[in-house]
Amino acid sequence: MGPSVKPMELLAATTNLHKLDEFRSILGPLNISVASAYDRFTIPEIEETGTTFEENAVIKACEAASITNSTVFAEDSGLEVFSLNSDPGIYSARYAGSEATDQENLDKLMQRLGVSEDRAARYVCVLALATPEKLVGVAEGEVRGRIGLSQLGTNGFGYDPVFIPDGHVTTFGQMQRCDKDTISHRANALKNAIDCGLFNLEKSLT
Ligand code: ITT
């Protein structure tokens, strides 16, 4: 038996356990383990005051890195429906109000969209990696698709029961997690981050 290679560990600053699960399933096969910064440190609420996914991802990563005195990554993500002026966008988690549940957000979206035929949409994810001293970099991913006419499936989270990715006939809510994890905005952002060397810390930190 050859020597076992210790997995590389990344620290993720997210309060969203679904995101954390997806990071772990996507990065696990690459021998990268993901720990939650919120499990290891007390992190006060970080306000998302940016006006873009990138600004919010950078705010979350930089504040969490400085509070924890560690290198961390964070992400900001959401759904853009083109016929709704790209709403809910950066407000995806709080579309129906600051305390809104996923179901309330989804109901608001379906109500606003009604039976419109123009249902094209995309999920966006921007990742940011930061040290306590500085932002290391960002990477973005998307998945294009459309909003179905009704809610189908109970897998995933957020808007997954109504999002049908291009080239598929089922919603993310109906798909097995491993299938979502090969094509999702989060998977694409992580792939881009790896391709551009973002997680190669020795290289990124010099
Ligand atoms: P953190 O900021 O702590 O990471 P959060 O849930 O508040 O957690 P965001 O501000 O980035 O994260 O909001 C993301 C929202 O976008 C999420 O709550 C969903 O409504 C939506 N969303 C993003 N990715 C999604 C996905 O893969 N499936 C379903 N909905 C998603």
Side-chain angles (χ1 to χ4, degrees):
M1 218 168 67
S4 64
V5 179
K6 195 168 177 281
M8 172 187 174
E9 184 185 83
L10 293 174
L11 202 51
T14 179
T15 57
N16 184 321
L17 298 180
H18 299 281
K19 289 185 184 180
L20 198 61
D21 254 11
E22 294 188 10
F23 292 143
R24 287 179 172 146
S25 331
I26 297 163
L27 295 172
L30 300 174
N31 211 27
I32 300 173
S33 72
V34 180
S36 165
Y38 284 85
D39 284 347
R40 298 210 179 149
F41 300 91
T42 304
I43 303 176
E45 191 180 343
I46 299 173
E47 260 196 85
E48 299 182 21
T49 52
T51 57
T52 61
F53 291 112
E54 181 169 333
E55 280 176 15
N56 281 335
V58 169
I59 290 170
K60 287 189 256 188
C62 289
E63 278 200 36
S66 134
I67 290 163
T68 62
N69 200 28
S70 310
T71 298
V72 302
F73 79 97
E75 66 109 284
D76 201 55
S77 52
L79 177 74
E80 291 184 342
V81 179
F82 303 126
S83 62
L84 297 179
N85 263 322
S86 295
D87 276 354
I90 60 166
Y91 301 106
S92 292
R94 39 193 161 132
Y95 193 36
S98 56
E99 302 296 320
T101 61
D102 279 0
Q103 187 62 51
E104 287 164 346
N105 288 329
L106 198 153
D107 287 344
K108 178 170 177 186
L109 175 76
M110 295 307 265
Q111 196 201 339
R112 277 199 62 197
L113 204 49
V115 291
S116 164
E117 289 190 359
D118 198 353
R119 309 183 79 83
R122 68 170 189 152
Y123 269 131
V124 185
C125 170
V126 178
L127 288 169
L129 182 79
T131 69
E133 291 78 35
K134 64 169 187 170
L135 173 70
V136 179
V138 296
E140 176 167 345
E142 66 161 16
V143 56
R144 290 190 173 245
R146 65 185 194 283
I147 303 302
L149 284 166
S150 59
Q151 188 174 327
L152 290 170
T154 53
N155 294 336
F157 68 102
Y159 302 89
D160 283 347
V162 296
F163 183 82
I164 304 168
D166 282 352
H168 295 261
V169 291
T170 53
T171 66
F172 269 166
Q174 292 171 294
M175 278 187 191
Q176 293 305 312
R177 263 285 306 289
C178 53
D179 293 326
K180 176 183 176 187
D181 287 345
T182 54
I183 58 171
S184 76
H185 49 316
R186 195 156 290 110
N188 289 330
L190 285 166
K191 271 181 218 152
N192 289 337
I194 289 164
D195 287 352
C196 74
L198 190 62
F199 294 135
N200 183 350
L201 293 180
E202 269 174 50
K203 222 178 181 178
S204 307
L205 289 175
T206 51

